Amino acid sequence: GAGVSQSPSNKVTEKGKDVELRCDPISGHTALYWYRQSLGQGLEFLIYFQGNSAPDKSGLPSDRFSAERTGGSVSTLTIQRTQQEDSAVYLCASSLGGRAGRAEQYFGPGTRLTVT
Amino acid sequence: SQQGEEDPQALSIQEGENATMNCSYKTSINNLQWYRQNSGRGLVHLILIRSNEREKHSGRLRVTLDTSKKSSSLLITASRAADTASYFCATSNSGGSNYKLTFGKGTLLTVNP
């Protein structure tokens, strides 16, 4: 079946602009994750959604970052007033969720964000 | 913060040889997973080993886990040029936030034809 999809695949934006990154998880996966991968920091957890529960936002680096998940499916990560240090690949993943034993995460191809 | 630390950072071998990568971590875990990444884009899940397991096999992959040493190894046997990629270990901590994965910085494997 279809995997996790993300759009756009590449985004170049000017410092100070807002950007929206989109993630379509695998159908039936109740858990959705956002990660950021940058040269200096490796892969960092940003936010986690599980069903209708309150999301775990503990990884968001600042209040310029926010994310929502509508209808338990598609998710949007928004970065306001982008800074050059926001440049990174933003990866979305989904999993079946529920018990910890169903923990395999399936990743999308990522969005490469460049802030000039 | 990065809990998993892969070793070596880079590994270059000839096709047909075996590749061994190691991962160390710091806290108690629920499970440990290995992922592969090609060209800096999406990660592909390879194998998951639970904290009560010591060894697991999947095709040419063999993973071991030593919770007393807080370490894991990934062995790829009879390597192929197509195995060239970055390999990451990721730990799921025991406790309430066990859905979170903490990734290491990865090992870049190059398999020369």
Side-chain angles (χ1 to χ4, degrees):
Chain A
V4 177
S5 61
Q6 292 186 245
S7 61
S9 56
N10 287 285
K11 177 72 176 178
V12 180
T13 190
E14 291 180 355
K15 178 181 172 182
K17 301 282 189 183
D18 298 352
V19 295
E20 280 191 356
L21 313 179
R22 177 188 168 105
C23 172
D24 277 276
I26 292 173
S27 177
H29 280 192
T30 60
L32 186 146
Y33 315 75
W34 283 97
Y35 295 88
R36 178 170 73 173
Q37 186 176 28
S38 54
L39 280 176
Q41 298 297 323
L43 267 154
E44 301 172 276
F45 165 84
L46 296 177
I47 189 169
Y48 162 76
F49 295 91
Q50 169 59 54
N52 295 321
S53 302
D56 179 347
K57 305 179 183 179
S58 60
L60 295 178
S62 78
D63 58 7
R64 295 186 296 105
F65 287 71
S66 63
E68 62 177 25
R69 188 178 185 193
T70 53
S73 181
V74 171
S75 176
T76 302
L77 177 69
T78 301
I79 309 173
Q80 295 178 308
R81 305 181 303 281
T82 52
Q83 304 293 313
Q84 287 185 328
E85 61 262 30
D86 299 335
S87 296
V89 176
Y90 289 82
L91 293 162
C92 175
S94 69
S95 71
L96 285 168
R99 292 175 292 118
R102 305 161 82 190
E104 293 90 335
Q105 295 184 20
Y106 297 83
F107 282 78
T111 293
R112 184 178 298 279
L113 175 66
T114 304
V115 182
T116 61
Chain B
S1 62
Q2 294 291 321
Q3 165 162 250
E5 293 287 339
E6 286 92 343
D7 163 47
Q9 290 187 329
L11 179 62
S12 181
I13 60 174
Q14 295 300 120
E15 217 167 16
E17 294 181 339
N18 295 340
T20 299
M21 288 161 272
N22 303 298
C23 168
S24 60
Y25 58 91
K26 296 175 183 171
T27 63
S28 295
I29 63 170
N30 182 284
N31 63 64
L32 184 145
Q33 305 178 38
W34 285 90
Y35 287 81
R36 185 178 97 173
Q37 184 178 42
N38 289 83
S39 304
R41 301 308 289 261
L43 281 77
V44 175
H45 181 267
L46 295 177
I47 197 164
L48 179 152
I49 186 164
R50 294 185 174 79
S51 59
N52 61 353
E53 297 176 314
R54 292 296 167 258
E55 188 172 312
K56 205 159 183 180
H57 297 253
S58 176
R60 294 185 295 113
L61 305 181
R62 173 177 168 253
V63 168
T64 61
L65 179 64
D66 186 336
T67 52
S68 67
K69 294 181 180 177
K70 291 186 167 60
S71 67
S72 172
S73 67
L74 171 67
L75 168 68
I76 304 174
T77 59
S79 64
R80 305 166 182 168
D83 294 329
T84 294
S86 290
Y87 291 81
F88 294 86
C89 70
T91 52
S92 166
N93 292 345
S94 57
S97 300
N98 55 20
Y99 49 81
K100 285 184 185 178
L101 289 182
T102 304
F103 286 83
K105 289 185 166 57
T107 292
L108 176 58
L109 173 67
T110 303
V111 181
N112 302 298

